[in-house]
């Protein structure tokens, strides 16, 4: 309740929470709100010349290159993009928590080996590595989520490693060791609870990055494959109509930008509220 009260006192956090909540509700209720099926190619969805139709009373956001309703595709695309964002980022946070906490707690050669592997993964450009992995594997919703998780865990691991290194020197950890507590008990019952604020903050901030990365992969043709809609492949399918039908690019792009911005605002607010070193700043 304290976190919620503090968030409500921040206009930027309220805006982010409102937009994120609206996107989630629209995605869940897509089958009820969408006026048409996202894959329905309507006879009257194209002009006589075969061009997409602009926004109108019949088609709120216009139609795409195949005569499909853009509004319906955006609603169902939200389900795909958010699902990948939540699954991929959740997996990335779990991997980062495991690698960072184990490396920070064990130290010695096991910790050094884990962190050198993390440094190696950091050296690769995330988008390039994701493209290579997506090209090697058959692109699908779950494969894309797996690929994004495999390239996004390194930032979490480094932050968790630093936090864990400072925690293992605290008196309560030394006391647990002197009482004969095992490594698993110390990690699960005493280290991980202190890492939860870090995981929550990075989990929220990472969703924006994940949504953008999914959109980039889909735009490049190695993400979620048609006919399943995602915000990225909607832009990919319409890029050749950038000048003649700009709504096909600008509207999905604006939705991606607004969603990513809202998750970032939410993550920034959670960081300031949950991180004691940030309280009172700004």
């Amino acid at each position: 309740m304290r976190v919620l009260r503090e968030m409500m006192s921040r206009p930027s956090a309220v805006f982010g929470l409102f937009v994120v909540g609206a996107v989630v509700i629209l995605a869940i209720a897509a089958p009820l709100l969408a006026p048409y099926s996202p894959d329905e190619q309507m006879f009257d969805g194209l002009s006589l010349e075969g061009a997409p139709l602009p926004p109108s009373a019949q088609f709120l956001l216009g139609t795409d290159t195949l005569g499909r309703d853009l509004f319906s595709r955006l609603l169902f695309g939200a389900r795909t993009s958010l699902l990948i964002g939540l699954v991929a980022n959740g997996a990335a946070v779990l991997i980062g928590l495991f690698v960072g906490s184990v490396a920070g707690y064990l130290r010695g050669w096991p910790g050094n080996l884990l962190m050198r592997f993390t440094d190696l993964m950091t050296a690769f450009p995330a988008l390039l590595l994701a493209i290579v992995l997506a090209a090697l594997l058959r692109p699908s919703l779950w494969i894309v989520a797996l690929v994004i998780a495999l390239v996004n865990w390194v930032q979490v691991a480094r932050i968790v490693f630093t936090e864990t290194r400072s925690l293992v020197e605290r008196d309560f950890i030394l006391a647990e060791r002197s009482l004969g507590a095992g490594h698993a008990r110390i990690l699960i019952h005493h280290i991980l609870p202190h890492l939860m604020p870090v995981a929550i903050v990075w989990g929220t901030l990472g969703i924006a990055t994940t949504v953008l990365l999914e959109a980039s992969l889909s735009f490049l043709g190695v993400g979620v494959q048609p006919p399943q809609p995602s915000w990225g492949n909607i832009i990919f399918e319409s890029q050749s109509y950038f000048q003649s039908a700009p709504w096909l690019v600008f509207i999905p792009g604006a939705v991606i930008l607004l969603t990513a911005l809202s998750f970032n605002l939410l993550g920034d607010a959670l960081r300031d509220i949950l991180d004691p070193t940030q309280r009172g700043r700004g």
Side-chain angles (χ1 to χ4, degrees), residues 120-137:
L120 179 64
M121 293 294 294
T122 307
F124 287 97
L127 181 58
L128 180 60
L129 183 59
I131 291 173
V132 172
L133 290 173
L136 293 176
L137 303 172

Side-chain angles (χ1 to χ4, degrees), residues 220-233:
L220 295 172
V222 291
V224 178
Q225 299 299 296
Q228 184 174 10
S230 78
W231 291 340
N233 67 25

Side-chain angles (χ1 to χ4, degrees), residues 18 24 35 45 55-56 66 130 155 163 167 212 236 243 255 267:
F18 173 78
V24 171
S56 62
L66 297 178
Q155 294 87 354
E163 291 287 330
L167 285 171
L212 290 173
F236 172 72
Q243 293 183 328
V255 171

Side-chain angles (χ1 to χ4, degrees), residues 74-271:
L74 283 177
L75 288 177
F76 280 89
R79 305 180 112 197
T80 302
S81 297
L82 288 180
L83 181 60
I84 289 179
L86 293 173
V87 172
N89 198 57
V93 170
L94 290 177
I95 296 172
L97 271 175
F98 174 78
V99 173
S101 60
V102 171
Y105 180 78
L106 293 180
R107 301 185 176 184
W109 69 264
N112 289 330
L113 181 63
L114 286 173
M115 293 316 296
R116 296 299 75 78
F117 175 70
T118 303
D119 293 337
L120 179 64
M121 293 294 294
T122 307
F124 287 97
L127 181 58
L128 180 60
L129 183 59
I131 291 173
V132 172
L133 290 173
L136 293 176
L137 303 172
R138 184 179 179 182
S140 67
L141 188 149
W142 300 112
I143 292 297
V144 171
L146 174 64
V147 167
I148 294 175
L150 291 177
V151 300
N152 270 359
W153 63 268
V154 290
Q155 294 87 354
V156 181
R158 293 211 62 84
I159 297 296
V160 170
F161 172 76
T162 304
E163 291 287 330
T164 305
R165 286 291 296 268
S166 66
L167 285 171
V168 294
E169 301 295 337
R170 301 282 182 87
D171 291 338
F172 69 93
I173 297 296
L174 298 177
E176 282 291 323
R177 285 178 174 173
S178 66
L179 292 174
H183 297 312
R185 177 179 175 82
I186 293 176
L187 272 172
I188 295 174
H189 293 283
H190 299 284
I191 299 292
L192 285 181
H194 287 80
L195 297 175
M196 283 300 103
V198 176
I200 293 172
V201 170
W202 279 90
T204 307
L205 288 172
I207 292 177
T209 304
T210 304
V211 170
L212 290 173
L213 186 54
E214 182 278 326
S216 300
L217 291 174
S218 296
F219 176 75
L220 295 172
V222 291
V224 178
Q225 299 299 296
Q228 184 174 10
S230 78
W231 291 340
N233 67 25
I234 289 174
I235 298 177
F236 172 72
E237 294 173 344
S238 310
Q239 57 183 320
S240 59
Y241 285 78
F242 175 74
Q243 293 183 328
S244 59
W247 61 88
L248 294 179
V249 176
F250 283 126
I251 294 178
V255 171
I256 294 172
L257 178 62
L258 183 61
T259 304
L261 174 63
S262 300
F263 273 113
N264 276 330
L265 292 175
L266 205 54
D268 285 339
L270 286 174
R271 179 192 59 194

